[in-house]
């Protein structure tokens, strides 16, 4: 990959100040939630699902890094497309596990559901498409697309 491609990949799209403010708020709230969700996982990244997990340790590690590191990246607006891609795949697997494997409903007042995973998946898509906005480290490091 050449430098121009990487620069363009991480350059945020131009956004109005109001849109960038909303993206910042969403990044902060969703990013903080991911840091909290990922904190316990990052403590034991290769085995947070327990010794009888059907998911290999390497994939548990990727999920832990995606959630904890991706949450920090979202809050900062740092390498946002890359963090969002990792969170997209993590939430796609989580949605599949809850909706298909476990058969959880979309919303459940007292039990498991796939609603949170699907919501975070859609937020990841939003950041992949729109970027982090102008109030981000990405804009400081890479500039803004024309």
């Amino acid at each position: 990959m050449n430098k121009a491609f990487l620069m363009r990949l991480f350059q945020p799209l131009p956004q109005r100040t109001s849109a960038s403010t909303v993206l910042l708020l969403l990044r902060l709230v969703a990013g903080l939630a991911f840091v909290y969700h990922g904190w316990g996982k990052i403590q034991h990244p290769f085995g947070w699902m327990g010794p009888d997990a059907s998911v290999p340790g390497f994939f548990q590690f990727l999920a832990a890094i995606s959630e904890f590191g991706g949450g920090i990246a979202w809050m900062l607006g740092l390498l946002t497309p890359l963090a969002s891609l990792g969170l997209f795949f993590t939430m796609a697997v989580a949605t599949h596990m809850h909706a298909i494997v476990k058969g959880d409903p979309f919303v459940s007042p007292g039990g498991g559901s796939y609603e949170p995973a699907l919501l975070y998946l859609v937020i990841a898509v939003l950041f992949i498409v729109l970027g982090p906005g102008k109030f981000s480290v990405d804009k400081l490091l890479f500039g803004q697309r024309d």
Side-chain angles (χ1 to χ4, degrees):
M1 285 190 233
N2 64 25
K3 184 179 177 182
F5 172 76
L6 288 175
M7 290 291 289
R8 183 146 176 84
L9 176 66
F10 293 113
Q11 285 178 328
L13 294 170
Q15 301 285 344
R16 294 177 31 196
T17 300
S18 58
S20 286
T21 302
V22 171
L23 289 170
L24 172 63
L25 290 172
L26 184 59
R27 284 194 349 256
L28 291 173
V29 172
L32 183 61
F34 267 118
V35 169
Y36 279 118
H37 285 291
W39 176 249
K41 295 171 184 156
I42 205 73
Q43 303 305 308
H44 306 283
F46 291 94
W48 58 267
M49 295 177 105
D52 297 328
S54 61
V55 177
F58 179 72
F59 291 116
Q60 294 180 52
F61 169 77
L62 290 177
I65 291 295
S66 291
E67 289 187 19
F68 186 73
I72 292 170
W74 271 7
M75 289 191 301
L76 296 172
L78 175 64
L79 304 176
T80 307
L82 182 61
S84 299
L85 190 63
L87 287 167
F88 170 85
F89 285 118
T90 301
M91 292 300 103
V93 170
T95 300
H96 174 78
M97 291 298 289
H98 282 280
I100 306 301
V101 176
K102 292 183 175 183
D104 290 340
F106 177 63
V107 176
S108 176
S113 72
Y114 64 93
E115 170 208 358
L118 185 59
L119 179 61
Y120 285 125
L121 182 148
V122 171
I123 292 171
V125 170
L126 179 126
F127 288 133
I128 289 169
V129 172
L130 295 181
K134 65 172 91 175
F135 306 121
S136 65
V137 175
D138 283 347
K139 181 173 184 281
L140 292 174
L141 293 178
F142 305 109
Q144 185 171 289
R145 287 190 205 172
D146 297 325

